[in-house]
């Protein structure tokens, strides 16, 4: 134990007013408390909250065995391992414990404290909830082990610990929270716990038969939804809910909030939040169509710039805009940076990527050929293998204008099609040998993401619209002078200026799914020729991309918007 624990948490109790709950938060690569984009966003949110000195506390699970450590077998198949990490190296266990009945047993929860340091003197506390305690039944000790572990029952137990456990831990520690922010529906049970404290007198009911007052709960809850993909919205059978939660809440009452057939966590959060947010303009429109009757606002996602700028770019930015990390608006003049400096910073980041590829795959990429990058969760709607739809066509594009490709990404172990895509990509890599250098880097995480997004020349994004709610890796690429070649979906709808910040694949119709032909066309006739024939124009685009994307698509702006539009305005209602 590193510090006197009471004192450690004590300094946060007086000032903190906002609690942000997320199933995953990417705090640092060595802490395996995240799986992908949702967690990285939560981490960047916390980093900006610390920089902006916001009165926030973050609550998540400790995920002792992580999400998954990815190994690729000889046949190109993903082999998933546990990915344990050591909480004692980064966090301190607090003395407080709370107990919750889950499945008829008392389950004890202990929070660990991780302190996140901002750019100035400020820190924000992150609480990591842990059930691995001697007083728990062996089965319950593992509830907080595996992030997104298998099975509905396990998942619901985790969400009970996060939502209900989290709110009670905050209370037991002595926090006075005004506003609760649910990052995705996983945390929705916290709003249900608040609702239970607002029972109406027995002779009163609200319209529809609810015996609780919703208004005071809605005044305190903010909900951000992150996906238009149906499977992304957790649903649990009422049998399971009864089994795990017992008489915590009357099931007929719960059905009024959560839907007649299943407990849908998104419905709970929508009903009990006074401010509902989609993560990009297009996503807010899609969410409104999916869940009619709710007002869905949009504060578009961002990234924490200092976290995602390669050192060579960070130095360049610091020379010209000393406060860029804190005041990203300063980077509006990045379009005036000297060409030579921008190209050198890029080549230095590219050389780091080439070194990483060499070390991990023994493939030697060239600094003189453009590198295309694609790294994200391997799942069907993102179409990671679209580039390989027609290998002959791809090879002929590359004969005209040679290029190289770097891939990375994990598939959720229960996502069969996602795992198949990884295997298919490896088969395509074999088939293209000698014609195009394509590599797959196993173990996509924050550290690898940084090397990738800063080292590539072109960042590829090929989702089926409107499934990509926002996407943030393209923002990271743009900050480092990478040019986006992307389907018009999510954040890119807002950032795209054709031939200026990057390029679109296909046209701007949300219901139109761009084909591989559209990708090959744009690549072969526009993107690659520009790289080889007009380097000055390419660098001009890099600078346009930095100045137009980084100034807006950052978590400083995002959090200032959340504070004014969601936290303060919602709290004042
Ligand atoms: C940024 C990031 C993501 C999110 O990328 P998307 O473009 O939203 O798919 C996922 N995983 C890691 C490790 C990241 O750094």
């Amino acid at each position: 134990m590193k510090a006197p624990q009471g004192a450690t948490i004590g300094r946060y109790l007086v000032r903190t007013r906002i609690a942000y709950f997320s199933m995953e938060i990417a705090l640092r690569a060595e802490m395996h408390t995240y799986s992908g984009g949702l967690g990285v966003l939560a981490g960047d949110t916390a980093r900006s909250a610390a920089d902006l000195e916001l009165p926030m506390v973050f609550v998540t699970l400790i995920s002792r065995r992580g999400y998954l450590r990815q190994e690729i077998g000889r046949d190109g198949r993903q082999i998933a391992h546990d990915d344990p990490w050591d909480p004692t190296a980064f966090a301190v266990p607090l003395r407080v414990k709370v107990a919750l009945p889950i499945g008829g047993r008392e389950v004890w929860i202990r929070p660990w404290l991780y302190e996140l340091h901002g750019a100035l003197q400020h820190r924000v506390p992150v609480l990591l909830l842990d059930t691995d305690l001697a007083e728990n039944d062996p089965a319950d000790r593992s509830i907080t082990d595996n992030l997104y572990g298998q099975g509905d029952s396990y998942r619901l137990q985790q969400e009970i610990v996060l939502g209900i456990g989290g709110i009670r831990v905050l209370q037991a520690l002595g926090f006075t929270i005004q506003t609760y922010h649910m990052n995705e529906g996983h945390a929705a049970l916290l709003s249900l716990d608040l609702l239970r404290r607002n029972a109406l007198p027995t002779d009163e009911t609200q319209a529809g038969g609810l015996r609780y007052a919703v208004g005071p709960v809605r005044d305190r809850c903010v909900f951000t939804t992150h996906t238009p993909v149906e499977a992304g919205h957790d649903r649990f059978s009422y049998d399971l809910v009864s089994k795990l939660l017992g008489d915590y809440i009357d099931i007929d009452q719960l059905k009024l909030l959560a839907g007649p057939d299943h407990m849908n966590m998104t419905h709970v959060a929508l009903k009990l939040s006074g401010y509902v947010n989609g993560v990009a303009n297009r996503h807010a429109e899609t969410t409104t169509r999916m869940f009619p009757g709710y007002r869905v606002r949009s504060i578009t996602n961002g990234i924490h710039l200092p976290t995602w700028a390669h050192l060579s770019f960070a130095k360049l930015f610091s020379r010209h805009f000393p406060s860029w990390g804190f005041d990203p608006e300063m980077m509006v003049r990045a379009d005036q940076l000297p060409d030579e400096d921008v190209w050198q910073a890029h080549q230095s980041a590219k050389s780091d990527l080439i070194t990483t590829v060499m070390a991990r795959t023994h493939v030697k990429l060239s600094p003189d050929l453009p590198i295309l990058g694609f790294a994200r969760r391997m799942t069907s709607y993102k179409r990671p293998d679209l580039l390989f739809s027609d290998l002959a066509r791809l090879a002929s594009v590359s004969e005209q204008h040679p290029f190289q490709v770097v891939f990375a990404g994990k598939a959720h172990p229960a996502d069969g099609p996602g795992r198949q895509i990884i295997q298919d990509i490896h088969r395509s890599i074999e088939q293209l040998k000698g014609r195009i250098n394509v590599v797959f880097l196993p173990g996509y995480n924050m550290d690898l993401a940084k090397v990738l997004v800063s080292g590539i020349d072109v960042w590829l994004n090929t989702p089926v619209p409107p499934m990509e709610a926002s996407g943030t890796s393209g923002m990271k690429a743009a900050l480092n002078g990478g040019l986006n070649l992307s389907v018009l979906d999510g954040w890119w709808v807002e950032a795209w200026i054709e031939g200026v910040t990057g390029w679109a694949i296909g046209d701007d119709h949300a219901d139109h799914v761009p084909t591989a032909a559209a990708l090959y066309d744009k690549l072969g006739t526009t993107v690659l020729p520009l790289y080889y024939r007009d380097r000055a124009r390419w660098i001009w685009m890099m600078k346009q991309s930095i100045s137009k994307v980084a100034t807006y698509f950052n978590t400083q702006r995002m959090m200032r918007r959340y504070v004014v539009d969601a936290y303060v305005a919602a709290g004042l209602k």
Side-chain angles (χ1 to χ4, degrees):
M1 274 174 238
K2 295 171 178 173
Q5 298 158 23
T8 324
I9 195 72
R11 75 157 66 89
Y12 299 110
L13 298 180
V14 176
R15 189 168 171 268
T16 305
R17 289 291 173 272
I18 301 154
Y20 181 102
F21 281 57
S22 182
M23 190 86 146
E24 48 171 316
I25 306 185
L27 296 161
R28 48 196 296 163
E30 307 93 316
M31 297 173 68
H32 304 162
T33 52
Y34 70 100
S35 83
L38 183 73
V40 172
L41 179 82
D44 282 1
T45 298
R47 286 179 272 277
S48 276
D51 289 350
L52 292 167
E53 311 199 351
L54 299 181
M56 292 180 78
V57 55
F58 289 75
V59 181
T60 190
L61 302 182
I62 199 161
S63 298
R64 285 171 171 276
R65 290 176 180 278
Y67 173 58
L68 77 86
R69 183 169 68 75
Q70 183 185 50
E71 184 192 330
I72 302 293
R74 289 194 166 279
D75 53 0
R77 256 188 250 256
Q78 168 177 289
I79 304 163
H81 303 277
D82 272 0
D83 198 12
W85 66 285
D86 178 14
T88 61
F90 304 98
V92 182
L94 298 177
R95 283 217 185 89
V96 161
K97 286 179 209 165
V98 302
L100 277 184
I102 303 179
R105 286 195 295 265
E106 290 273 281
V107 176
W108 287 89
I109 304 167
R110 174 171 63 180
W112 292 61
L113 174 67
Y114 174 79
E115 298 181 281
L116 187 87
H117 292 249
L120 305 172
Q121 296 303 313
H122 195 66
R123 289 176 232 176
V124 298
V126 182
L127 301 175
L128 309 165
L129 306 180
D130 185 13
T131 62
D132 185 18
L133 297 169
E135 46 272 68
N136 282 337
D137 186 271
D140 299 330
R141 291 183 71 156
S142 66
I143 294 177
T144 51
D145 273 356
N146 292 92
L147 178 59
Y148 304 127
Q150 306 264 9
D152 277 3
S153 174
Y154 188 65
R155 176 71 71 88
L156 182 53
Q157 291 175 52
Q158 292 194 323
E159 296 190 12
I160 293 169
V161 169
L162 177 67
I164 303 173
I167 204 166
R168 296 192 183 175
V169 161
L170 288 173
Q171 208 167 21
L173 287 169
F175 280 96
T176 314
I177 301 300
Q178 273 162 7
T179 303
Y180 292 91
H181 188 161
M182 293 172 267
N183 188 44
E184 195 48 296
H186 309 135
L189 292 176
L190 84 82
S191 58
L192 201 62
D193 207 60
L194 291 176
L195 189 74
R196 271 178 88 248
R197 301 165 194 198
N198 284 276
L200 295 169
T202 43
D203 54 344
E204 277 180 44
T205 49
Q206 289 206 331
L210 197 62
R211 295 194 300 271
Y212 298 91
V214 168
V217 180
R218 291 173 53 95
D219 286 348
R220 302 178 66 186
C221 289
V222 173
F223 172 44
T224 300
T225 175
H226 285 266
T227 176
V229 180
E230 206 43 58
H233 298 266
D234 280 333
R235 308 184 318 167
F236 299 104
S237 78
Y238 283 114
D239 278 351
L240 180 64
V241 175
S242 304
K243 200 174 131 217
L244 295 183
L245 280 178
D247 59 3
Y248 171 78
I249 188 161
D250 185 80
I251 294 292
D252 289 323
Q253 286 286 297
L254 184 57
K255 285 181 177 174
L256 297 173
L257 296 164
D261 308 322
H262 294 269
M263 176 169 75
N264 182 316
M265 300 300 271
T266 303
H267 279 288
V268 175
L270 285 168
K271 285 238 167 59
L272 296 179
S273 296
Y275 188 97
V276 176
N277 194 62
V279 287
N281 296 340
R282 172 77 45 97
H283 177 235
E285 292 163 21
T286 311
T287 305
T288 306
R289 274 200 304 280
M290 287 177 79
F291 302 99
Y294 296 98
R295 180 168 176 207
V296 182
R297 259 71 76 91
S298 65
I299 298 171
T300 301
N301 280 346
I303 57 166
H304 184 253
L305 301 184
T307 298
W308 294 106
H310 186 273
L311 187 62
S312 61
F313 274 103
K315 284 185 181 156
L316 177 61
F317 298 152
S318 295
R319 276 211 304 281
H320 292 266
F321 327 110
S323 65
W324 67 278
F326 192 81
D327 291 317
E329 295 88 340
M330 296 298 159
M331 291 178 70
V332 70
R333 293 172 66 81
D335 59 354
Q336 304 297 311
L337 289 169
D339 284 8
E340 193 51 33
D341 293 357
V342 170
W343 189 250
Q344 260 179 25
H346 170 63
Q347 288 300 105
S348 149
K350 188 169 179 175
S351 147
D352 284 353
L353 172 58
I354 291 171
T355 305
T356 299
V357 168
M358 184 69 192
R360 298 196 185 182
T361 66
H362 307 297
V363 174
K364 193 166 171 9
L365 299 184
S366 159
D368 301 320
L369 306 187
I371 301 180
L372 273 53
F374 184 107
R376 37 180 67 76
R377 188 154 49 88
M378 292 287 152
T379 195
S380 299
Y381 82 84
K382 293 183 185 248
R383 298 195 294 175
D385 50 351
L386 187 72
L387 186 67
F388 299 137
S389 307
D390 181 346
L391 295 184
R393 171 106 194 250
L394 189 67
S396 92
V397 170
S398 153
E399 269 160 34
Q400 299 270 315
H401 304 286
F403 60 89
Q404 337 171 67
V405 192
V406 183
F407 273 93
K410 298 172 180 172
H412 188 279
D415 181 355
R419 283 184 288 123
Q420 184 62 48
I421 289 171
I422 292 179
Q423 208 181 349
D424 293 345
I425 289 175
H426 280 87
R427 187 151 22 94
S428 301
I429 291 174
E430 282 304 312
Q431 287 168 348
L432 289 166
K433 270 222 169 100
R435 290 185 289 175
I436 308 177
N437 262 337
V438 186
V439 295
F440 187 102
L441 300 177
Y444 189 43
N445 69 357
M446 281 181 84
D447 283 349
L448 184 55
K450 185 160 176 177
V451 176
L452 270 162
V453 295
S454 59
I456 50 79
D457 295 280
V458 177
W459 193 246
L460 201 58
N461 182 36
T462 52
V464 176
M467 307 291 245
E468 192 58 86
S470 167
T472 53
S473 58
M475 304 171 190
K476 302 170 193 166
L479 168 68
N480 292 287
L483 298 181
N484 280 276
L485 171 59
S486 169
V487 165
L488 283 166
D489 202 14
W491 79 285
W492 187 233
V493 176
E494 293 161 53
W496 163 66
I497 308 172
E498 185 69 13
V500 178
T501 53
W503 303 273
I505 303 167
D507 48 28
D508 189 15
H509 293 295
D511 51 356
H512 173 228
V513 181
T515 58
L519 167 59
Y520 297 139
D521 271 349
K522 191 54 74 77
L523 198 58
T525 61
T526 307
V527 178
L528 297 170
L530 186 75
Y531 185 88
Y532 285 107
R533 287 186 210 142
D534 194 348
R535 188 58 51 82
R537 175 80 187 181
W538 186 279
I539 297 172
W540 178 85
M541 281 184 70
M542 292 171 74
K543 298 196 298 186
Q544 290 296 319
S545 176
I546 297 169
S547 76
K548 290 189 165 61
V549 173
T551 44
Y552 186 82
F553 296 92
N554 58 71
T555 39
Q556 297 285 101
R557 183 242 349 134
M558 185 190 87
M559 287 315 287
R560 286 175 168 133
R561 284 282 311 266
Y562 268 111
V563 168
V564 174
D565 297 1
Y567 302 158
V568 175
L572 291 177
K573 254 202 327 262

